[in-house]
Amino acid sequence: SKRTLETDTNLICLEQKGAILDFTKAITKNPNEATGYLSRSHAYHQLGKLDNECQDLKKAAGLNHPTAKNLLLQRNCNF
């Protein structure tokens, strides 16, 4: 079948939504592990969900993940 930008965008959205579900399961199992929140924030970023992204970055930063602290500043998340 012919691939289009719309088709590619829809596939990316599905992949990111699946990733969010997977990361949410990991967070449920290990709520004090910052990597799950950071990874999920990347998926939210790809979908343009800034509020969700910032919420996860704040949680990861609160768990002392250095990358999350830097991304909070880069993404202009309110503290």
Side-chain angles (χ1 to χ4, degrees):
S1 68
K2 185 178 177 183
R3 290 180 66 172
T4 64
L5 180 59
E6 182 179 350
T7 303
D8 289 347
T9 301
N10 288 340
L11 288 174
I12 291 168
C13 285
L14 285 174
E15 288 173 8
Q16 296 306 322
K17 288 176 182 177
I20 288 167
L21 290 174
D22 290 342
F23 294 132
T24 300
K25 288 177 188 175
I27 290 166
T28 300
K29 290 180 183 178
N30 298 300
N32 294 318
E33 174 57 48
T35 305
Y37 295 99
L38 182 66
S39 298
R40 190 171 67 177
S41 78
H42 291 307
Y44 282 132
H45 178 78
Q46 293 294 317
L47 293 174
K49 296 188 173 202
L50 181 62
D51 290 342
N52 297 91
E53 175 191 10
C54 288
Q55 183 177 352
D56 278 357
L57 286 174
K58 289 175 187 176
K59 182 66 177 178
L63 293 169
N64 296 314
H65 197 293
T67 301
K69 291 177 181 182
N70 291 334
L71 285 172
L72 274 173
L73 296 173
Q74 291 175 12
R75 302 281 196 254
N76 294 319
C77 294
N78 295 326
F79 287 93

